Amino acid sequence: MRSMTAYSYGETQAQGLTLSVEFRGYNNRFLDLTVHLPFWLSSLEMRIREYLGSRFVRGKIDVGIRIKDNVPEIEVNEETAWAYYRAMEDLAKKMGINEKPSLELLLNREGVLKTETPRDAEPYWVLIEPLLIQGADQFDEERKREGRHTLEDILGNLSVIDGALEKIRGHVPEMENTIKENLRERFNELLGDRIDEGRILSETAVILVKNSISEELSRLSSHLGDFRKELDANDSPGKKLDFLSQEINREINTIGSKTPQVEVSRAVIEMKNALENIREQLRNVE
């Protein structure tokens, strides 16, 4: 199991450059990738997205790639520099100023210095790719570490639901007897000595079917089993577990609505609280 919230940062130096890759992860129902690159490396974005899509299933993931200390190529346009120099020198003579144009003044003229940062992305990809893989590995390990804590919490809450379920099962015979006794008392009040045992039995059977929670208990037990299987078999079970938790919640609510007994109501509240804790944790599960 993996958490969707995590962080990792990696940095390396090569060929006079400092490269860094930063991963930030947040909760999200689907996979939402944001890639931050220097604009002149934008051609690499699709390649990075394809790689990240092969590694992660769910969550909002922000990836920032930075390159520092990139030394630009500098060219001096000597013809332009001489043209500025002669023009400034002629102007100084005409104005009677005995001063030569300074180097600083010439260097600040447009077109004297030409700087160009290499724009071919492929040489940078050779440096970025291993750092990206390393960062994704670290990010994934952090997600797994957080996921282990989440799994422990979920399993603890599942045990609470199991215990409450057994309590309710233990009260089923008592619930059925209560229904039978209440029905017999009502017939006694209405009919007195003219009680028809056959009718009492048929009415009791109808009410028991209507108020029985056997099917709900069976389905709830089945959903809990499926939930655990999904935890064991799926590395990214978030979506399936979301669905199963909805089914579990439906059965718990039905059981609560059919059984007015205090002990059963308490057990239902225990299950609801535990399930709410599980659903809260699932919001952060890949």
Side-chain angles (χ1 to χ4, degrees):
M1 177 177 286
R2 292 173 174 83
S3 165
M4 284 189 282
T5 55
Y7 175 83
S8 74
Y9 178 84
E11 188 175 283
T12 188
Q13 294 184 346
Q15 301 180 17
L17 306 174
T18 299
L19 298 93
S20 65
V21 175
E22 183 178 40
F23 281 78
R24 295 180 184 271
Y26 309 93
N27 299 347
N28 201 60
R29 290 183 62 192
F30 308 101
L31 182 61
D32 181 8
L33 299 175
T34 302
V35 179
H36 303 280
L37 280 168
F39 73 93
W40 41 276
L41 291 179
S42 58
S43 62
L44 299 178
E45 181 173 346
M46 187 55 65
R47 204 177 304 183
I48 293 169
R49 284 180 172 275
E50 289 176 355
Y51 171 72
L52 297 176
S54 71
R55 291 291 305 268
F56 305 107
V57 176
R58 213 160 66 128
K60 177 174 173 53
I61 302 175
D62 289 346
V63 180
I65 297 175
R66 298 176 180 84
I67 299 179
K68 303 176 183 177
D69 301 327
N70 189 19
V71 180
E73 295 179 0
I74 301 175
E75 294 182 9
V76 178
N77 191 325
E78 294 185 12
E79 291 184 5
T80 301
W82 276 112
Y84 276 120
Y85 184 88
R86 286 190 290 268
M88 291 178 184
E89 190 177 43
D90 289 344
L91 180 60
K93 288 179 181 178
K94 291 177 181 178
M95 298 181 65
I97 299 173
N98 187 20
E99 185 177 332
K100 298 290 185 180
S102 67
L103 179 60
E104 181 181 2
L105 184 62
L106 289 171
L107 292 176
N108 285 328
R109 298 305 92 194
E110 183 179 355
V112 174
L113 293 182
K114 293 173 61 179
T115 61
E116 183 176 351
T117 301
R119 292 293 187 262
D120 184 5
E122 287 304 316
Y124 291 96
W125 176 245
V126 174
L127 303 175
I128 291 171
E129 185 179 23
L131 190 60
L132 180 68
I133 294 172
Q134 178 185 335
D137 289 342
Q138 292 175 352
F139 184 67
D140 197 38
E141 282 302 314
E142 182 66 17
R143 282 160 58 107
K144 288 178 181 178
R145 187 184 69 80
E146 292 291 333
R148 285 192 287 270
H149 296 303
T150 301
L151 178 60
E152 290 175 6
D153 189 87
I154 289 175
L155 290 175
N157 282 290
L158 282 176
S159 296
V160 171
I161 295 176
D162 287 337
L165 180 58
E166 289 307 310
K167 290 179 186 177
I168 294 173
R169 279 202 178 103
H171 286 286
V172 168
E174 180 184 345
M175 291 161 50
E176 292 180 352
N177 287 332
T178 300
I179 291 172
K180 292 176 183 177
E181 291 302 319
N182 288 341
L183 190 59
R184 180 173 289 276
E185 287 179 9
R186 288 172 59 190
F187 270 99
N188 278 330
E189 292 174 0
L190 293 172
L191 302 176
D193 295 336
R194 295 174 295 155
I195 295 177
D196 183 344
E197 282 294 332
R199 185 174 179 189
I200 291 178
L201 291 175
S202 63
E203 291 289 338
T204 300
V206 171
I207 293 176
L208 284 176
V209 169
K210 183 178 179 181
N211 291 276
S212 173
I213 59 171
S214 296
E215 289 187 11
E216 286 78 6
L217 293 175
S218 178
R219 285 195 296 266
L220 177 55
S221 181
S222 176
H223 292 329
L224 291 172
D226 291 341
F227 197 100
R228 283 191 165 88
K229 288 178 184 177
E230 194 69 17
L231 284 174
D232 292 337
N234 195 341
D235 287 337
S236 302
K239 289 183 179 180
K240 182 67 177 291
L241 295 183
D242 279 340
F243 169 76
L244 286 172
S245 65
Q246 292 174 29
E247 296 300 305
I248 291 171
N249 186 59
R250 183 177 293 111
E251 303 303 336
I252 292 174
N253 285 335
T254 304
I255 292 170
S257 67
K258 284 187 173 184
T259 52
Q261 281 188 309
V262 174
E263 294 83 358
V264 174
S265 296
R266 287 173 180 167
V268 166
I269 290 172
E270 286 181 28
M271 289 194 290
K272 283 188 172 184
N273 288 337
L275 182 61
E276 184 58 33
N277 290 334
I278 290 174
R279 297 179 80 172
E280 183 68 29
Q281 292 289 353
L282 288 180
R283 294 188 180 97
N284 195 33
V285 173
E286 183 182 55

